[in-house]
Amino acid sequence: MDSVETYVCLRCQKGYVPVKGSDGKSVVQCVCPPGTFQNNTATPKTCVPCTTGSFCPGGDPKARKPTDNIGGNPMSCNANNSTGLTTKSERSTRRADCIAQAGYVLPATAGAAAQECTGSTYAPAFNRLRTCLPCQSGLAAPLDYSGAHDDKLAVCQVPPGKFWELNVVRDCPKGLYREEFVRTDNKTSIACKSCPEGWTTKNIGTPLKSLCNVLLPGYQVTGATNATTVNNLPVDTNSTTFDPPATEFCPVGFYADGTAGFACVRCPYQATTLKNGSTSADDCVVPPGYFAKDTATGGVLEQCPTTPANSEVDGYYRPGWKSYKEVLSTGDGTDKCIPCGAGIMSTPMDADEMPGVAADAKAPASSASCYIKAGWGITFDPSDFTKFKAIKPCPANTYGVANTTYGLINAPCKACTKNLYSLEASTNFTACLNPGGFGYTSEGANQCPDGFWAAKDSMAPCEQCPEGRTTLYVPGNGTFQDAIEDCIVAPGSGVFNGSDTNPWSPTDPTNPNTPAKQCPIGFYTNNDTLATSNTCQACPNHGSTTAPGSTSCTVCAAGYGKASLGAACTACAYGSYNQGTSESCNACPQTTFNDFVGDGYTSYGITFKTGLVGPESCVPRRAQLPKPVGDRFGLPDAMFTVNVTVSGTDNAAVKACVEACPADQCCIAEIEKSDSGISCKHARLAPLSSDTANSKARMFYKLPPSEIAAASKTDSKDVKAKTMASGIYAICDIEAHKADAAAGKLGTSPDPTKVEAGRDSIEFNSANCKDAATCKAACAADAACWGFIYVPGSGFALRGGESWLGGRSFFVSPDGNGAAGVAGPDMNALAW
């Protein structure tokens, strides 16, 4: 049987698997499959699953005989009763299915015992690692760790003196420590513990609190008596049992730099610190307004020098906190404190920040302690525009600050407005006042013009002098215009009070409020600059002035003239006049008449009075009867008693006829031209006055003015005279002819209707001619009237002339100047 293959046709029991014969079809044996083994204690025997921790390769696939390995014995993963290996589940079929348990790794060679993780290594359960996993750099297992090395968090912890930050192990910084291991998943792992307040460590990564044995700068040990003892007991900071005692900040005025032991050090020079816990001598500072000064006892702080009372010494100040080293003075502090500026004083005005002083104490800690007095100014120093200087006091014509002024600000002396003045050290613009004679306006003061005045310091506009008064204007000098008393009467003017009895000589001529007017013509004031007399003076000796407001009498009064230079003014003679515009009288103007012979005849002018003032009083002595009146007077032939022989040319004959009239009579010359020549006859009458009291018959002849005001031009060659009444009538005696006059035979009526009724037609005492005055006015208005007559017993009547072909008549008035060498009559009463 052993050598012969046997073919058995059978069916394997449940759990077994068949082994095929060589033919690949026959079942020659039944064995347990891999992952199981035969349980020989069971009845019947069965294949059971391989247990955890073992592996079962199964029955021999070549088994033929019952003695062959049919059941497949289980094999343990751990050799020689060791531990650490297992399988992930039952039915493992090979050694390769063996894996390491928690805290173990696979052996280096198959079949050997598992390797256990120790120290700072670990391995997770069911691993196939050949070596244990080390902890992350810096992590370590606690020295007393006894648990399985399978939990990374349990094994790999943060050691003392370390902390966990962003998956990195770091040393605790100085001043921090940690005394225990801590898992990385513990929230305390991310921070170290702080040393007690005021203490720190020498190094980083400190694992013990006792190593917090370095006192921080700015701290002192509470109760420290000196650098090495606390509460008078020595303290060893290097002891392993050192427990850091309580500390406190160095108080203000002290510091600790970490080198002086347990106690703080006092600042030098009595300097102070700005806060508790100062750590260096450099923290020792000097308050604003102070400087440090060496003394025999070690040094003190003193305030910057300020201005002593009742003096004007320059002052100093110092702002800001400074290290005592910066403000250590070699003298009185002027080298470390800041000068206010040349002439500027100082006094403590700022809050004193020195510890321990009174709450209201002051120090010169800023420029606000610098000051100037009222009436001073302050401005930039021209030599250094970063500095200030005082102007003390502000000069005249300026003003400074109103009160004591603190602080360094640009407050220069301000100039008074235009032309205003002020005294030295003035404190306000109201001290700027106007000088006398300068009126105040919005732009300042301006010198008053002529005729105005302004009182000094009045700050009022210029006031106008009373009417007619003026002031003496001297450019730039108002002393002659600073009071109303300076309003003097100008030359050529005089005081005038219209309400006074005598306006030109009022009762109070020296009152400066009395107005003045220009002296009228004939009066003057004659001072060269200003009138010494306030009243106008009448020109003496018939003198006069040419215009109102004259300062001297340069002409003769109207109606007067000088016969020669330097002579006195006397009444103008007959035939002359003066209107008061010159020193000499003017001759009456000449008058030209156009007569029938063709050429004009010119007569000189005369007057019937002396001392006349204008040409309106002049009449031509030889006046041609005007055309509207007629060619002749219409007188009776009996009145023409004188025949004058004339010869020569027509013009010469006319001239000779007219000029043959005597100077002392009224002369009516009638000239007739015929083929045989020119004839001339005169009616000569005695001159009379206008007074009819002597009951004489009178002829009033209307004289034309010397200056004829108008003419009518009929053609280019013949200009006929148009008489314009002068208002002057020559009066002639017709007593010898009063019968003819009463009968209307002396002249004709100017009324043409009455002339037609008869030459002798006459109307006495008509409505428009009932007396001398009305007759004069009526005749002046009637161009056909040559005058009027008066006949006692009959009255007054207007008279006209008549036409006379080839004839003309002239009326020749008496001449007061007479003929050459012959005195003329007194004519002052001969005309009216």
Side-chain angles (χ1 to χ4, degrees), residues 627-666:
K627 269 293 185 183
V629 174
D631 298 316
R632 62 182 176 182
F633 285 79
L635 302 178
D637 291 338
M639 292 183 68
F640 292 94
T641 58
V642 178
N643 289 315
V644 180
T645 302
V646 295
S647 61
T649 64
D650 291 347
N651 289 337
V654 171
K655 185 175 186 300
C657 177
V658 174
E659 294 181 355
C661 288
D664 59 347
Q665 292 183 334
C666 295

Side-chain angles (χ1 to χ4, degrees), residues 6-22:
T6 302
Y7 295 96
V8 179
C9 183
L10 55 84
R11 186 173 184 178
C12 293
Q13 292 182 358
K14 182 179 180 181
Y16 290 87
V17 295
V19 178
K20 301 291 183 176
S22 58

Side-chain angles (χ1 to χ4, degrees), residues 454-474:
K456 181 182 179 183
D457 302 343
S458 65
M459 294 302 284
C462 294
E463 293 189 46
Q464 189 168 12
C465 290
E467 181 183 358
R469 290 178 178 262
T470 188
T471 52
L472 179 62
Y473 178 82
V474 178

Side-chain angles (χ1 to χ4, degrees), residues 756-824:
E756 292 175 0
R759 178 178 176 183
D760 55 356
S761 176
I762 190 167
E763 182 182 12
F764 283 102
N765 298 327
S766 64
N768 59 345
C769 183
K770 58 186 177 180
D771 54 32
T774 57
C775 293
K776 184 177 181 180
C779 188
D782 190 346
C785 177
W786 56 252
F788 58 94
I789 61 173
Y790 169 73
V791 178
S794 297
F796 290 90
L798 297 175
R799 294 285 85 189
E802 60 186 6
S803 298
W804 182 25
L805 186 62
R808 289 297 282 157
S809 300
F810 277 84
F811 182 88
V812 181
S813 299
D815 187 356
N817 285 327
V822 179

Side-chain angles (χ1 to χ4, degrees), residues 513-823:
N513 290 293
T514 303
K517 284 187 176 182
Q518 288 185 328
C519 293
I521 292 177
F523 290 79
Y524 74 101
T525 52
N526 63 353
N527 188 277
D528 289 341
T529 55
L530 299 171
T532 54
S533 173
N534 285 346
T535 57
C536 294
Q537 306 297 313
C539 289
N541 302 321
H542 303 295
S544 188
T545 57
T546 58
S550 296
T551 59
S552 63
C553 298
T554 59
V555 296
C556 291
Y560 289 82
K562 293 181 179 180
S564 62
L565 184 64
C569 295
T570 58
C572 290
Y574 292 115
S576 64
Y577 66 92
N578 186 3
Q579 294 175 307
T581 59
S582 68
E583 289 186 324
S584 60
C585 297
N586 301 304
C588 285
Q590 295 182 338
T591 308
T592 300
F593 300 94
N594 292 317
D595 59 56
F596 62 93
V597 299
D599 292 333
Y601 176 76
T602 300
S603 171
Y604 66 89
I606 64 168
T607 61
F608 285 88
K609 293 181 183 296
T610 58
L612 295 179
V613 300
E616 67 276 359
S617 298
C618 295
V619 296
R621 188 194 168 205
R622 304 174 181 113
Q624 181 178 270
L625 194 66
K627 269 293 185 183
V629 174
D631 298 316
R632 62 182 176 182
F633 285 79
L635 302 178
D637 291 338
M639 292 183 68
F640 292 94
T641 58
V642 178
N643 289 315
V644 180
T645 302
V646 295
S647 61
T649 64
D650 291 347
N651 289 337
V654 171
K655 185 175 186 300
C657 177
V658 174
E659 294 181 355
C661 288
D664 59 347
Q665 292 183 334
C666 295
C667 179
I668 300 170
E670 283 196 351
I671 304 167
E672 183 177 6
K673 182 179 180 182
S674 64
D675 293 340
S676 59
I678 293 179
S679 62
C680 171
K681 58 182 179 180
H682 289 178
R684 297 179 179 178
L685 306 171
L688 284 178
S689 71
S690 61
D691 187 5
T692 61
N694 58 12
S695 299
K696 283 187 177 184
R698 286 166 167 77
M699 181 181 78
F700 295 78
Y701 178 68
K702 179 174 67 175
L703 292 169
S706 288
E707 295 179 329
I708 296 177
S712 63
K713 186 174 183 181
T714 58
D715 55 49
S716 61
K717 295 181 179 180
D718 190 13
V719 177
K720 305 299 182 180
K722 182 179 181 182
T723 302
M724 179 177 183
S726 66
I728 299 173
Y729 288 76
I731 308 171
C732 307
D733 185 357
I734 58 171
E735 180 66 22
H737 309 285
K738 66 179 180 181
D740 286 339
K745 295 179 180 180
L746 201 156
T748 66
S749 173
D751 185 350
T753 62
K754 295 189 181 299
V755 173
E756 292 175 0
R759 178 178 176 183
D760 55 356
S761 176
I762 190 167
E763 182 182 12
F764 283 102
N765 298 327
S766 64
N768 59 345
C769 183
K770 58 186 177 180
D771 54 32
T774 57
C775 293
K776 184 177 181 180
C779 188
D782 190 346
C785 177
W786 56 252
F788 58 94
I789 61 173
Y790 169 73
V791 178
S794 297
F796 290 90
L798 297 175
R799 294 285 85 189
E802 60 186 6
S803 298
W804 182 25
L805 186 62
R808 289 297 282 157
S809 300
F810 277 84
F811 182 88
V812 181
S813 299
D815 187 356
N817 285 327
V822 179

Side-chain angles (χ1 to χ4, degrees), residues 15-34:
Y16 290 87
V17 295
V19 178
K20 301 291 183 176
S22 58
D23 59 1
K25 295 180 180 179
S26 301
V27 177
V28 296
Q29 189 57 273
C30 291
V31 296
C32 288

Side-chain angles (χ1 to χ4, degrees), residues 352-387:
D352 193 336
E353 299 183 64
M354 173 69 80
V357 298
D360 58 351
K362 303 295 182 182
S366 73
S367 61
S369 291
C370 300
Y371 72 96
I372 57 174
K373 292 182 178 180
W376 291 14
I378 183 172
T379 187
F380 293 108
D381 191 329
S383 62
D384 185 350
F385 283 101
T386 64
K387 299 178 180 178

